[in-house]
Structures are given as C-alpha cells and as structure tokens.
Amino acid sequence: MDKVKSEALKIKNAEIQQVTDENGLDAIKVTFNSGILFATGDAEVAASSKESLNDLAEVLNNNQICDVAVYGYTDNVAFRGFTAEQSVQKNKDLSLERAVAVAQYLQTMGVNIDQIKDIKGYGSENPVASNDTEAGRAQNRRVEIFLYASQAMIDAAEAGTLQ
C-alpha cells in the first residue's frame, strides 16, 4: 500500500491519510480539500471536483488490485414539505446517490467496477464540520474514498512479487 499511498499523495486538492477504518482494517483515506462538493439536495458531481477525481482514477488504474470503498454523506438540511424523519431518510438516500455518482464517474475514467467493493450512504451521520453554517454544511456534503489492500495484493506482497 506504500506505492498506492505515494501515488495518491500526488492527487490535487486531496488529503491522504493512513487510517484504520471502523472495521479495524488498514486503509488509505482520500478526502478532498474542498470535499467532493455537492449542492444542497443534489447528487451531481461538481465540475470543480472532476480534476481531482481524474487524478484518483489514474491512481486506481495504476493499482488495479487495490480495493475501493466509496461512502457518501450529506448535511442535515431538512427537505421542504417532509417530516424530520422523512428528511433523515431522504438525506440517507441522497448520500447513497452521491457515493454512486462518484463511483460511476470513476468508471467513466476507466476504473474497473470490480475494484469498487463497497458503496454506502450515511446521510448526515459523522459530520466533519458544523451544520450551523453554510460553510460547514458544504463540507458535510461529501464523499470519502477508502483504498484497501486486496487479497491479491496481500498474497503478492507475502510472495515478494508485488510490483
């Protein structure tokens, strides 16, 4: 994963962290300085994020035995005409749509669908900023991407054949 991390560090406007995920697995977490921003209530990938996603796709295409997880999030803005409970569900659905939109964009850039092992939407859970300001809400409308060593990568490393 050192090679993957080294390549990922070259992605424009991205923060690359070596992390242990919620399942205790080692991963490289890719987040973007401006987030992969979405307008309120929208799942279309912002044009300003595409250059960074193109860089990420290049890393993934160079490391095709690396597994990928894409997780979407929203701010906590309620939807007009919906109850609080309905808004929570709408935000959860929207966050999944955002994760799917990023995964689909990566596929258009040549990333193999089989490389993407997990796509989830978490709604407004786990905000990274306060939802009390527009700037904070914008940061919470995001997708986080985790890169994992696949079993093939682990086997190659153990055999001394990992390139």
Side-chain angles (χ1 to χ4, degrees):
M1 289 299 291
D2 291 339
K3 176 182 176 248
V4 175
K5 182 178 179 183
S6 176
E7 288 184 34
L9 286 168
K10 298 174 186 171
I11 299 171
K12 294 175 191 74
N13 300 314
E15 180 180 342
I16 309 302
Q17 298 174 288
Q18 191 84 38
V19 299
T20 301
D21 75 2
E22 62 188 23
N23 298 312
L25 299 173
D26 290 334
I28 296 168
K29 180 180 175 185
V30 180
T31 54
F32 295 88
N33 294 343
S34 58
I36 296 179
L37 298 181
F38 299 91
T40 300
D42 192 14
E44 184 176 336
V45 176
S48 61
S49 301
K50 290 183 178 176
E51 183 177 357
S52 297
L53 285 174
N54 293 347
D55 292 344
L56 175 61
E58 185 176 338
V59 170
L60 297 176
N61 286 328
N62 289 340
N63 298 280
Q64 294 183 10
I65 61 172
C66 178
D67 289 343
V68 180
V70 184
Y71 301 134
Y73 298 88
T74 64
D75 56 31
N76 69 350
V77 172
F79 286 82
R80 190 180 312 222
F82 289 86
T83 66
E85 187 175 292
Q86 290 170 325
S87 284
V88 167
Q89 186 58 52
K90 289 269 298 170
N91 272 325
K92 190 160 185 134
D93 294 345
L94 178 60
S95 67
L96 178 59
E97 291 172 20
R98 289 175 174 168
V100 168
V102 168
Q104 287 176 336
Y105 183 81
L106 291 171
Q107 288 174 341
T108 67
M109 299 309 297
V111 174
N112 187 326
I113 184 62
D114 293 333
Q115 199 170 356
I116 301 173
K117 302 295 186 187
D118 199 13
I119 301 172
K120 289 184 183 166
Y122 288 99
S124 60
E125 295 176 32
N126 306 315
V128 294
S130 171
N131 276 304
D132 294 334
T133 67
E134 178 51 41
R137 289 187 295 273
Q139 289 178 325
N140 291 329
R141 294 188 297 269
R142 71 193 191 282
V143 168
E144 296 175 346
I145 301 161
F146 289 78
L147 311 178
Y148 297 94
S150 67
Q151 190 58 51
M153 186 180 269
I154 293 167
D155 293 345
E158 289 174 353
T161 59
L162 184 64
Q163 299 180 357

